[in-house]
Amino acid sequence: MGKILDIISGTPLFNGLSEDQLREIEQISENQYFSKGETVFSEGDTGNGFYVVADGMVKIFKVSMEGKEQILHIFGPGEPFGEVPVFAGQSFPANAQAIARSHLLCFPRTAFVDLLSSNPSLSLNMLAVLSMRLRQFTVQVDNLSLKEVPARLAAYLIYLADEQGKEDFVTLNISKGQLAGLLGTIPETLSRIFAKMGSENLIEVKKKNIRLVNRSVLEELAEHGKHIR
Amino acid sequence: MGKILDIISGTPLFNGLSEDQLREIEQISENQYFSKGETVFSEGDTGNGFYVVADGMVKIFKVSMEGKEQILHIFGPGEPFGEVPVFAGQSFPANAQAIARSHLLCFPRTAFVDLLSSNPSLSLNMLAVLSMRLRQFTVQVDNLSLKEVPARLAAYLIYLADEQGKEDFVTLNISKGQLAGLLGTIPETLSRIFAKMGSENLIEVKKKNIRLVNRSVLEELAEHGKHIR
DNA sequence: GCTTTGCATTGACTTAAGTCAAGAAATAAG
DNA sequence: CTTATTTCTTGACTTAAGTCAATGCAAAGC
C-alpha cells in the first residue's frame, strides 16, 4: 500500500470505506509541507479545502487585539481540520499554524464535495467528525466559563494520562506556553499553578514529565470547577 | 400546504429539497410540546434523535457544580438542535430547556440517518448547519477567553441590532438573567455594566429596550477585547 | 386592590488571575 | 565550549469580576 494511502486509510474520517473509495480520495489529495512556526492559514482567509495531518502537529487558535492567544485545538496525525469553510462557506474562523515540522494532506473543496455526494458513508463520517468537535467545544466553553485555571489544568492532565494510556504519569507533547494558551491563561499563571500543585503534593513536575501523585484529588478538582473554601 | 410541512420547508436545514423529500421528512417527525421552564433533555441523556424548533425558544446550557449557568445557544423557530449524539453517538453534551412555551419537531436518529443515505443534499445541509455552529463556537470561545464582559455585551448588542434589522435600537428577546448566562457572567455584573454604559452615554436602557447611542464606540469596544487605559 | 414571587439593581467586600518587570533555565546557534 | 535566544519561573502590584447581602421593582395571582 502506498504511503499516502496508508495515512488516508488510518484516519477515522475515512473509516469503513472501500479500497476504491480510498483511492479516489488519494487522487484528489495534495501534499503540503510546513516547517515549525509556519502559518497554514489565517482567520479570514478564503477556504478552498480542508486538511488532514499526515505527520507533525498543527494548532488552531484565535488572537486578541493585545496579542493573547487562545488555542482551540491541537491536531496530530490522522486528524482533519479546516472543514468549516468547505461546508458553511465563507472564510476560516481561526488561524492555523504548524507547531512542528508537518506534512499535511489538502483536500480541495469542490472535488471533496463531489465525493460526498456519491459516498453516503463518507458524509456520515464527516458528520461524526464535526459532531465530536462540537462536543469538544461544549467542554471548552464549560471549562473557560465555569472552571478556574487549576481545575482546567487538572482536567487536562487527566485527559492526557488517559490518552497516553498511563495511570499517573504524563509527558507534555506541547510547550508550557502553548499549554497556557490551550487552557485560556498565560504562562505566568500556569507556572504558578504548577508550583502550587507541586507544593500541595498533587503532582511532581520535571520539565515536561509530570507525575500525578494524587489522582483522586486531581479528579475532584477537575470536576468541581471552583475552589472549595 | 400542511402546517408541519410549512415549518419544515421553512427551516434552512431542509432547503433545496423536493416536495417529495420534504414529505418524507414530515413522515418521520414527531410533535412535542413543552411549557416554559420544562426540560427537553439533560446532559448525559442518551440521544435518540434531534429537534427542530417549530415555535417557541429553547436554551442549550451547561451548569457548574455551584449552579452557575453558561448558555451555549438560544434557538428559535426553524433552528435544529441536539444533533451531536445522532452522528457522534453517546449522550447529549449539554442541557436543553424551553424558555418559552415551545412546539418542537423531533426526528428519530435511525429514520433520519436512513434519509441522509439517500439524500446527499440533505447531508450537505446538515454539514453546513454543524459547520456554522462550529464557527459560532469559535466566536464564543474567543469572547470568553479574550474579551471582557463589556466587550461581549457590546458585541451582542450590535449582533442583535443587525439581526433585528435596526440601526441603533434593540429589544432583548430574553431576560437579563439569561443574557448574563449567555455572555458568561452573572446578573449582578451585567447590571453594573448596563449602568456604566448608560452613564457613559453609550446606550440607553429602558427595560428590555436598548438604544445604541454611540454605535461606533460600541463597535470599537466589541472589537478591542480589553479596556484601553 | 393587595400580596406574592421572581427579576433586577446597588453596595461592600474578596479573590482569581492578569500585568509588568526581572531573573533563571534550557535549547539552539556560532 | 561559549554565546545567544527562547522558554520558564518568581515577585510585587493591579484589576475585572465574582460573592454575599439587602433592597427595589414589576408582573402574576388571589
Side-chain angles (χ1 to χ4, degrees), chain A residues 170-186:
Chain A
V170 297
T171 303
L172 296 180
N173 45 354
I174 51 175
S175 77
K176 289 179 183 172
Q178 300 285 311
L179 177 55
L182 190 61
L183 298 179
T185 185
I186 55 173

Side-chain angles (χ1 to χ4, degrees), chain A residues 68 148-150 184-186 188-189 192 207 229:
Chain A
K68 189 187 164 194
E148 295 175 355
V149 182
T185 185
I186 55 173
E188 292 95 313
T189 298
R192 285 182 240 274
K207 290 191 23 169
R229 277 169 279 257

Side-chain angles (χ1 to χ4, degrees), chain B residues 148-149 185-186 188-189 192 207:
Chain B
E148 296 176 354
V149 183
T185 187
I186 55 174
E188 292 96 314
T189 298
R192 283 182 241 275
K207 291 192 24 169

Side-chain angles (χ1 to χ4, degrees), chain B residues 8-9 11-25 112 115-116 118-125:
Chain B
I8 288 172
S9 68
T11 112
L13 174 60
F14 304 122
N15 258 0
L17 300 181
S18 69
E19 281 231 10
D20 281 359
Q21 290 171 314
L22 292 175
R23 242 182 286 275
E24 278 192 279
I25 287 162
F112 188 77
L115 278 188
L116 283 180
S118 48
N119 284 296
S121 59
L122 181 55
S123 294
L124 284 171
N125 280 356

Side-chain angles (χ1 to χ4, degrees), chain A residues 41-96:
Chain A
F41 55 74
S42 298
E43 183 173 348
D45 287 358
T46 304
N48 292 107
F50 75 98
Y51 301 83
V52 168
V53 180
D55 193 43
M57 197 148 49
V58 171
K59 73 171 174 187
I60 310 295
F61 64 104
K62 289 260 192 181
V63 199
S64 74
M65 221 91 243
E66 298 77 31
K68 189 187 164 194
E69 268 186 23
Q70 171 65 49
I71 297 178
L72 304 171
H73 305 283
I74 292 185
F75 291 119
E79 296 187 287
F81 68 93
E83 320 87 340
V84 167
V86 172
F87 306 112
Q90 299 180 307
S91 52
F92 289 112
N95 309 282

Side-chain angles (χ1 to χ4, degrees), chain B residues 146-170:
Chain B
L146 305 176
K147 289 180 183 170
E148 296 176 354
V149 183
R152 295 179 218 161
L153 175 58
Y156 182 78
L157 291 176
I158 290 163
Y159 155 80
L160 210 63
D162 292 347
E163 182 164 86
Q164 294 178 3
K166 309 262 182 167
E167 178 65 27
D168 58 355
F169 186 82
V170 297

Side-chain angles (χ1 to χ4, degrees), chain A residues 121-134:
Chain A
S121 59
L122 181 56
S123 294
L124 284 171
N125 280 355
M126 186 53 97
L127 285 166
V129 166
L130 299 189
S131 294
M132 290 187 317
R133 196 139 322 148
L134 284 171

Side-chain angles (χ1 to χ4, degrees), chain A residues 23-220:
Chain A
R23 243 182 284 275
E24 278 193 280
I25 288 161
E26 187 193 13
Q27 286 305 315
I28 66 165
S29 80
E30 186 195 314
N31 291 297
Q32 292 190 15
Y33 298 89
F34 294 86
S35 46
K36 183 177 174 174
E38 212 175 332
T39 296
V40 180
F41 55 74
S42 298
E43 183 173 348
D45 287 358
T46 304
N48 292 107
F50 75 98
Y51 301 83
V52 168
V53 180
D55 193 43
M57 197 148 49
V58 171
K59 73 171 174 187
I60 310 295
F61 64 104
K62 289 260 192 181
V63 199
S64 74
M65 221 91 243
E66 298 77 31
K68 189 187 164 194
E69 268 186 23
Q70 171 65 49
I71 297 178
L72 304 171
H73 305 283
I74 292 185
F75 291 119
E79 296 187 287
F81 68 93
E83 320 87 340
V84 167
V86 172
F87 306 112
Q90 299 180 307
S91 52
F92 289 112
N95 309 282
Q97 188 186 39
I99 56 174
R101 258 182 147 274
S102 299
H103 170 199
L104 307 181
L105 302 179
C106 181
F107 298 89
R109 201 183 103 254
T110 47
F112 188 77
V113 169
D114 286 351
L115 278 187
L116 282 179
S117 303
S118 48
N119 283 298
S121 59
L122 181 56
S123 294
L124 284 171
N125 280 355
M126 186 53 97
L127 285 166
V129 166
L130 299 189
S131 294
M132 290 187 317
R133 196 139 322 148
L134 284 171
R135 190 191 292 279
Q136 285 170 30
F137 267 125
T138 66
V139 173
Q140 187 162 30
V141 169
D142 183 281
N143 284 339
L144 286 173
S145 176
L146 305 175
K147 289 180 182 170
E148 295 175 355
V149 182
R152 293 179 219 161
L153 175 57
Y156 183 77
L157 291 176
I158 289 163
Y159 155 80
L160 211 61
D162 292 348
E163 182 164 85
Q164 294 179 4
K166 309 261 182 170
E167 178 66 27
D168 59 355
F169 186 81
V170 297
T171 303
L172 296 180
N173 45 354
I174 51 175
S175 77
K176 289 179 183 172
Q178 300 285 311
L179 177 55
L182 190 61
L183 298 179
T185 185
I186 55 173
E188 292 95 313
T189 298
L190 181 61
S191 193
R192 285 182 240 274
I193 290 167
F194 266 130
K196 184 162 146 278
M197 284 175 134
S199 74
E200 285 169 346
N201 283 315
L202 293 177
I203 56 175
E204 259 171 48
V205 186
K206 275 202 185 126
K207 290 191 23 169
K208 291 200 163 188
N209 301 311
I210 301 169
R211 254 178 49 77
L212 314 189
V213 179
N214 195 336
R215 201 184 144 122
S216 62
V217 171
L218 283 172
E219 277 167 355
E220 205 189 326

